[in-house]
Amino acid sequence: MLALGTAAQTAACAFVYGIPYLADTLRRQEHLGLTQVGLLVACPTAGLVLALYLWGAAADRWGERVVIALGLGAAAAALAVAAWTVHGMVPLGLLLVLAGAAGASVYSASGRLVMGWFTARERGLAMGIRQTSTPLGMGVAALAMPPLSDAHGLGGAIGFLAVVCGVIAVLIALFAADPARPAKAAAEPAPNPYRGSRTLWRIHGSAALLVIPQFTAGAFALVLLVDVRGWSSVHAGQLIAAAQGLGALSRILVGRWSDRVGERLRPMRQLAVGTAALVGATALATAFPSPLTPVLLVAAIALTSSTNGLSFTSTAELAGPAWSGRALGVHNTGQNLTAAVVPPLMGAVISATAYWPGFVLAAVTACVSAAIIPVPAQVAAPAAGARRTISA
């Protein structure tokens, strides 16, 4: 179930977050500016935001397998149409929005699928592995999109994503199994975890802010290396794929760390502070380019990916099994709404100034995130099946 959930999320992330790796091709072949490319980059995420909560509610009611298989299959169909039957920026953007809305099913349900099969003392590692799907998906896109688009155009690159999503949808339909639900949770309405507490909202807000440095580094690293260091898009994509692999490893290690210390949020705050420092250093390296610039970009991409699993795990644990689908839908909505806004806004900032002011802004948001993370007053390992009480 962990492998299936991770594979489904990886496929979804490959197309939702893979468009930045077509940026150089879109500029050369379609003659688009950086702001226009940023708008296309945001289209799948915009669709995702519109549908996340509804898919989460569907997973709470009908289970994970059906929701993931239907949504990922619909995303594959939309991508196939985008790849092989349409031309022009507007039709492509609309189909990317539709594919993102369909793929939102995976974001809301695959985390719930994984959480349901593991105990509280295993969830940090399990969700860390599942959350490797974001850097893995981005890594696959970084490795595959530039050469495919060079050889076969935009249609060949997007068609590859359609095939991947279709294959994983079939595997989910055939082999996924919904986790058992507690009889009490199934029989009685569960209390709303958002009433009387701001803890979940603070987790959602801090995680959304951490998306800004993650997507500033991930979305603009390729064009930065092309523009500032004179790299080819293929070589830049290969380096970014390696960086995303390190990001995937960081999520596993951080998840295991959180299991060992019995906490999710204190490590998340510590990593947010580290992110602010590293992204600030990257801003300096982009202002004064040197051989260290690619090294710091790789480190920034890896570290900014590390906290995602912690925020997801803490959200699901606090919400409980009856509300986890909806809570993860809300959490994903905040993160992906931010992700939809970052590329065009950062593209406009970078176009108007330079790359380094965008990275400075990203470092500042990481500092703000660290300040609002609701760190527990006492350290205690979470009991299996129980939600934890957290105070600021």
Side-chain angles (χ1 to χ4, degrees):
M1 295 310 106
L2 178 57
L4 286 170
T6 303
Q9 187 77 16
T10 300
C13 289
F15 80 81
V16 171
Y17 305 133
I19 306 303
Y21 307 115
L22 296 174
D24 193 53
T25 301
L26 288 166
R27 293 196 300 177
R28 286 187 290 104
Q29 295 185 6
E30 303 296 325
H31 308 292
L32 301 179
L34 196 58
T35 302
Q36 292 173 304
V37 171
L39 288 172
L40 276 181
V41 167
C43 283
T45 312
L48 198 72
V49 168
L50 295 175
L52 277 167
Y53 185 82
L54 294 176
W55 281 118
D60 284 338
R61 182 168 184 179
W62 291 300
E64 294 81 1
R65 181 180 66 86
V66 171
V67 165
I68 296 173
L70 283 177
L72 201 56
L79 289 170
V81 173
W84 294 306
T85 65
V86 303
H87 301 280
M89 178 178 172
V90 173
L92 176 60
L94 291 174
L95 283 164
L96 289 175
V97 170
L98 182 60
S105 65
V106 182
Y107 287 73
S108 292
S110 66
R112 181 187 167 92
L113 178 70
V114 171
M115 288 288 294
W117 282 100
F118 291 87
T119 67
R121 291 187 179 275
E122 301 167 326
R123 287 174 188 154
L125 177 59
M127 283 295 283
I129 293 172
R130 182 263 188 182
Q131 290 304 114
T132 62
S133 54
T134 300
L136 285 178
M138 296 173 77
V140 168
L143 204 59
M145 295 297 97
L148 282 173
S149 62
D150 284 348
H152 305 288
L154 293 175
I158 296 174
F160 164 76
L161 298 174
V163 171
V164 170
C165 290
V167 169
I168 301 299
V170 171
L171 292 176
I172 291 289
L174 292 177
F175 300 113
D178 295 341
R181 303 192 183 195
K184 182 178 179 181
E188 301 177 6
N192 187 336
Y194 290 96
R195 289 179 182 169
S197 174
R198 294 181 298 172
T199 300
L200 277 172
W201 290 116
R202 289 176 64 180
I203 295 172
H204 298 334
S206 59
L209 287 171
L210 287 173
V211 168
I212 296 175
Q214 180 184 354
F215 274 75
T216 300
F220 294 100
L222 187 144
V223 290
L224 190 154
L225 290 172
V226 171
D227 291 346
V228 174
R229 298 298 297 163
W231 289 32
S232 72
S233 61
V234 172
H235 289 156
Q238 290 170 346
L239 181 70
I240 294 167
Q244 295 294 355
L246 291 175
L249 178 61
S250 75
R251 294 188 178 197
I252 296 173
L253 296 176
V254 165
R256 180 57 179 157
W257 173 29
S258 74
D259 284 339
R260 289 179 64 87
V261 301
E263 284 193 87
R264 318 296 182 200
L265 298 175
R266 194 180 305 275
M268 183 176 167
R269 175 178 283 181
Q270 293 167 352
L271 290 166
V273 172
T275 293
L278 182 57
V279 174
T282 307
L284 188 63
T286 59
F288 303 98
S290 74
L292 286 177
T293 302
V295 175
L296 286 169
L297 274 174
V298 167
I301 290 171
L303 186 62
T304 57
S305 297
S306 64
T307 59
N308 202 262
L310 299 179
S311 65
F312 271 82
T313 306
S314 59
T315 294
E317 287 179 336
L318 286 164
W323 273 82
S324 61
R326 281 164 285 186
L328 289 173
V330 173
H331 191 79
N332 265 308
T333 298
Q335 286 194 305
N336 286 285
L337 183 59
T338 308
V341 171
V342 168
L345 287 185
M346 282 297 183
V349 169
I350 291 168
S351 296
T353 57
Y355 284 98
W356 69 265
F359 281 86
V360 169
L361 180 59
V364 170
T365 60
C367 291
V368 176
S369 174
I372 67 173
I373 293 171
V375 172
Q378 294 181 344
V379 177
R387 282 187 277 147
R388 298 169 60 199
T389 301
I390 296 179
S391 59

